[in-house]
Amino acid sequence: MRFAPLALILLAFQQESRDLPAFLGPLRPPPVPEDNPMTDAKVELGRMLYYDPRLSGNGTISCATCHNPALGWADGLAKGVGINGTKLGRSSPTVANAAYFETQFWDGRAPSLEEQAKGPIQAAAEMGGSAEGATKTVAAIPGYAKRFREAFGGELDVDAFWNEV
C-alpha cells in the first residue's frame, strides 16, 4: 500500500474548498491516487499536519504560515518569508486547487503532491527541517500515532512516513 500522509497536507484544504457558495456550481473532486484513497481520517490527519509548526526545524513555522487560508492560501507578500525570518527569492504561491495541477512548484519540478510535500519541510530557508526530524517529531506525539492508525491502519512507521511516498 502506498503511504503518502504528507500529500494529505495539501489535500486537506482541498476538502475545505468544497464548501463554496452554491452560485459557483458543482466542483470536480480532486484527483486521488488509486493506491491511496482519500478518507475522512486521512483528510483530518492532513489538516493537522498542515497547521502544525512542529514539523519545521525549530518548531515555529507550519505550511499554513506561508499558505494561509485567510490570505487565499498564500501569504500576500511580494517575496515569502521562511524560517527565522529568512527572505525567500519569490512569493509563496497559493496552494488552492494544487491537487488539480499536473506538476508542482513554480518550475514544475515535482510531479505530484506526494513529491511536493517533501520540499518545503527540508528546504533550509523555508521550514528548515529534515525528513528524519519531521518524522521523529510526528512519531513522538501520541495523538498523531492514533490518527495514523485511524487513517492507515497499523502503527506509524517512521521510515514509511517519508520514504514510501
Side-chain angles (χ1 to χ4, degrees):
M1 174 208 279
R2 189 169 178 186
F3 187 52
L6 290 174
L8 296 173
I9 293 169
L10 294 177
L11 284 175
F13 74 81
Q14 203 65 51
Q15 182 75 14
E16 289 177 9
S17 69
R18 290 183 185 181
D19 300 327
L20 296 174
F23 69 84
L24 292 176
L27 297 177
R28 178 175 57 98
V32 177
E34 288 182 25
D35 58 351
N36 187 24
M38 187 178 344
T39 65
D40 289 344
K42 289 178 185 179
V43 168
E44 182 56 30
L45 175 60
R47 185 177 288 113
M48 291 170 60
L49 292 167
Y50 188 83
Y51 290 100
D52 196 334
R54 295 175 290 186
L55 297 178
S56 68
N58 65 5
T60 63
I61 189 169
S62 72
C63 299
T65 302
C66 297
H67 305 284
N68 185 331
L71 298 171
W73 300 98
D75 62 11
L77 302 172
K79 299 235 175 156
V81 178
I83 196 164
N84 299 321
T86 304
K87 303 285 186 213
L88 303 177
R90 50 177 65 134
S91 65
S92 300
T94 181
V95 291
N97 295 318
Y100 298 98
F101 301 166
E102 291 184 20
T103 58
Q104 305 293 320
F105 290 112
W106 288 107
D107 58 5
R109 70 184 175 271
S112 67
L113 285 174
E114 289 88 349
E115 288 299 314
Q116 184 283 332
K118 296 176 184 180
I121 290 173
Q122 297 183 96
E126 292 182 34
M127 292 179 74
S130 67
E132 182 179 7
T135 54
K136 284 184 178 181
T137 296
V138 168
I141 299 169
Y144 275 127
K146 177 182 182 239
R147 295 291 184 153
F148 272 90
R149 279 193 304 276
E150 292 170 0
F152 296 99
E155 295 301 312
L156 172 59
D157 180 339
V158 173
D159 293 325
F161 178 79
W162 195 266
N163 297 321
E164 293 184 17
V165 291

